[in-house]
Amino acid sequence: MSVLSRALLALTLAVQPALATDLPDLGEVSRQYFSDQEEQALGRAILRDVYADPRYLDDPEIETYLNQLGYKLVSVSTRNQREFTFFVINDPTINAFALPGGNIGVHTGLLLTAQNESELASVIGHEIAHVTQDHIARMVASQSQSYWPTMAALALALLAARSNPNVASAAIASTQAFSMQNQLNYTRDYEREADRLGYEMLTRANFDPRSMSAFFNRMQRASRFYDSNAPAYLRTHPLTSERIADMEARSESAPYQQVEDSLDFQLIRARLRAQDGSPADAVLAARSTLKEKRYSSETAARYGLVTALLRARQFKEAESEVQKLPSENNSSPMIQLLAAQTALAAGNPALALQRYQTGSNAHPGYPPLQYGYISALLATGHAGDALTRVDKQLALDPDDRRLWYLAAQTHAQLGQHLLSYRAQAEAAALSGNLVAAIEQITRGLKAGDGSFYEMSAAEARRREWQAIEKAQRKD
Ligand SMILES: [Zn+2]
């Protein structure tokens, strides 16, 4: 134990009597089993498996929304505020799960069945608490060491066990990690702690604290009908009537306040529905939702219709519907992005670039607009402008793997082979795949078209990755 954690422990103990009704804190301790470096390596390996999973939903808008919501909660957490990565799994079952390295997955089923944004926030807050309190690391650490497979197998096993506890995939069945799968359910103590801290985040972030018990009550009622096929979430987060009673008791004293859902919440749900089923069916469903006024936001319903029309390649109809959406400069970046995409698809590149310019001026910090803008510049033969924009964005966020993929395409269009491979390599490394990163950068070095400075920078980067990769293989 470090001097700092000793001091923290002493402090915690000193404060404890004042919080006598509070439950003991279960965090802190696990670091003696699982180092920060080990957890980071495991987190990266998990992300690599997430991005390679066919169920991973590669949708920048929905992922950005989820990260914004997640960080809204993280920012008010009183616990260790590490980095988080929130991602979406395309799966109709109701589930959300936390993994080492601050990785939190949410099923599309949860996004769609939550009855309001506060319910979604309550589940995510609970998962964030599992992370800040190191519950997963503690569960893994409590397994007998002989069960520990390699880091890569452990990553895969954890992902499979959390995202779909009902399925024992062939991949994990073949490893020792399989035996771990059924033992990775949170204990009641972990659940209680995650509920308590989740509740704290929920109220501090101004969501409705009653939504927590409302959601869990519904889950429990639903689970009676499923029997052994209980929702995946309940498999890993045992739900007891005691837990629900605790949640209700906590929120009873909270002052009543009506919390309105954000427009973004409505938009991403409309977007998910529009992506479901065949394009023709999605258009039909969206049209009838709008016609019969079965929506809480007309804007979101129309946004869904345009999304479905684009899928069905009905570009003229899409453009005429998009023009009915709010078009002020400060309207939602998701709407401005959709309008630009529609113009490009409808064969009007000048209008598309103009809409991208407007949107990107109004929302410079919204990454999906930048991805769309850069792609549109590339598609319309403006590789030089695309390079200026992608470089500027990368300076702001060098850890954005999507920007690196776009940089690779931009350099390729400009005939810059080393820089294109280098960008591809950066994207692979950020996706947790160091082996692919080393392979790509090696190809770039062989292309031989870089300047002396670019060559030495790439060589240094390759050495850096090789060293990390070697260290990971030893684990
Ligand atoms: Zn839980």
Side-chain angles (χ1 to χ4, degrees):
M1 198 186 280
S2 71
V3 178
L4 181 64
S5 36
R6 252 184 245 275
L8 280 174
L9 185 63
L11 190 66
T12 314
L13 289 172
V15 174
Q16 215 58 52
L19 305 165
T21 52
D22 260 5
L23 294 147
D25 205 309
L26 300 169
E28 310 289 345
V29 200
S30 68
R31 286 291 156 225
Q32 51 189 288
Y33 306 107
F34 222 59
S35 75
D36 273 337
Q37 287 79 356
E38 276 176 317
E39 185 172 347
Q40 273 166 20
L42 187 54
R44 276 193 297 269
I46 284 169
L47 269 190
R48 182 194 56 210
D49 292 334
V50 166
Y51 296 143
D53 193 317
R55 297 175 309 143
Y56 166 68
L57 186 70
D58 189 4
D59 184 305
E61 286 96 314
I62 297 175
E63 196 170 281
T64 300
Y65 165 77
L66 191 64
N67 277 276
Q68 282 168 348
L69 177 66
Y71 267 100
K72 197 172 167 186
L73 294 160
V74 171
S75 67
V76 295
S77 163
T78 50
R79 301 309 158 116
N80 76 57
Q81 295 189 356
R82 62 176 86 194
E83 283 210 23
F84 281 81
T85 304
F86 299 88
F87 56 88
V88 184
I89 295 289
N90 203 345
D91 186 319
T93 59
I94 301 170
N95 199 9
F97 52 93
L99 293 163
N103 295 311
I104 292 182
V106 174
H107 283 196
T108 48
L110 172 63
L111 294 173
L112 287 171
T113 50
Q115 290 192 344
N116 53 58
E117 197 168 25
S118 290
E119 285 195 358
L120 176 60
S122 75
V123 177
I124 294 174
H126 176 99
E127 296 306 318
I128 290 171
H130 277 313
V131 173
T132 61
Q133 303 312 103
D134 292 323
H135 289 163
I136 287 258
R138 293 167 59 92
M139 281 194 295
V140 173
S142 70
Q143 303 289 313
S144 149
Q145 290 272 347
S146 61
Y147 279 143
W148 283 33
T150 64
M151 218 43 137
L154 184 58
L156 195 61
L158 280 168
L159 178 62
R162 308 314 294 174
S163 67
N164 197 342
N166 301 324
V167 175
S169 77
I172 56 165
S174 64
T175 71
Q176 293 159 307
F178 175 64
S179 53
M180 251 173 65
Q181 193 185 358
N182 293 322
Q183 301 163 46
L184 280 177
N185 290 341
Y186 292 113
T187 66
R188 281 179 179 209
D189 287 343
Y190 291 161
E191 287 308 307
R192 243 176 294 175
E193 184 171 67
D195 284 345
R196 177 168 58 90
L197 295 173
Y199 180 86
E200 215 176 88
M201 280 179 253
L202 205 61
T203 46
R204 282 162 171 259
N206 293 322
F207 288 106
D208 178 8
R210 286 175 182 80
S211 59
M212 203 167 178
S213 50
F215 181 78
F216 286 106
N217 253 321
R218 243 185 17 259
M219 287 273 285
Q220 198 176 42
R221 276 201 301 277
S223 72
R224 286 192 202 127
F225 302 105
Y226 291 106
D227 203 24
S228 66
N229 256 330
Y233 187 82
L234 294 184
R235 287 283 182 99
T236 47
H237 303 254
L239 192 59
T240 59
S241 30
E242 182 198 328
R243 269 185 72 198
I244 295 180
D246 276 353
M247 289 178 213
E248 280 169 349
R250 243 180 244 126
S251 54
E252 248 167 33
S253 54
Y256 182 79
Q257 54 166 343
Q258 182 81 31
V259 179
E260 225 178 285
D261 293 336
S262 69
L263 175 61
D264 288 353
F265 174 71
Q266 308 283 5
L267 290 174
I268 61 123
R269 281 147 63 97
R271 185 174 177 80
L272 279 174
R273 287 193 200 99
Q275 285 168 353
D276 198 35
S278 77
D281 287 347
V283 170
L284 273 180
R287 276 206 197 285
S288 84
T289 302
L290 203 57
K291 201 172 149 209
E292 291 156 28
K293 297 193 188 316
R294 280 184 288 111
Y295 49 69
S296 31
S297 154
E298 182 181 346
T299 300
R302 179 156 283 114
Y303 173 95
L305 175 59
V306 176
T307 307
L309 286 167
L310 287 181
R311 277 186 68 206
R313 308 186 65 78
Q314 300 182 33
F315 302 130
K316 261 178 80 179
E317 292 89 337
E319 177 58 35
S320 92
E321 289 295 333
V322 105
Q323 288 180 13
K324 297 178 197 162
L325 286 168
S327 60
E328 320 79 76
N329 273 355
N330 60 354
S331 74
S332 153
M334 280 183 72
I335 293 174
Q336 300 199 3
L337 172 55
L338 187 70
Q341 285 166 333
T342 305
L344 195 64
N348 195 341
L351 178 61
L353 293 181
Q354 187 198 317
R355 283 177 176 169
Y356 273 123
Q357 183 69 60
T358 310
S360 130
N361 287 345
H363 305 283
Y366 186 67
L369 258 170
Q370 300 302 332
Y371 308 146
Y373 200 175
I374 294 159
S375 302
L377 287 169
L378 288 175
T380 52
H382 298 84
D385 293 339
L387 184 61
T388 313
R389 189 155 285 278
V390 83
D391 278 347
K392 194 178 138 202
Q393 291 300 314
L394 277 172
L396 296 173
D397 185 5
D399 289 340
D400 186 331
R401 70 184 203 289
R402 289 191 172 96
L403 281 176
W404 281 112
Y405 280 123
L406 289 165
Q409 286 174 39
T410 309
H411 287 300
Q413 264 198 28
L414 293 166
Q416 300 162 336
H417 303 292
L418 168 62
L419 293 176
S420 178
Y421 280 120
R422 161 87 195 258
Q424 194 91 32
E426 295 289 345
L430 286 164
S431 306
N433 198 339
L434 278 183
V435 175
I438 294 164
E439 228 173 77
Q440 294 289 341
I441 209 162
T442 303
R443 270 189 220 172
L445 284 163
K446 281 188 190 143
D449 68 341
S451 67
F452 173 75
Y453 169 75
E454 287 161 356
M455 293 284 281
S456 3
E459 270 162 10
R461 194 70 167 135
R462 181 169 64 174
R463 277 196 301 274
E464 200 179 312
W465 285 333
Q466 280 168 334
I468 302 173
E469 203 267 328
K470 202 175 154 199
Q472 277 181 11
R473 250 183 297 141
K474 270 197 221 132
D475 281 335

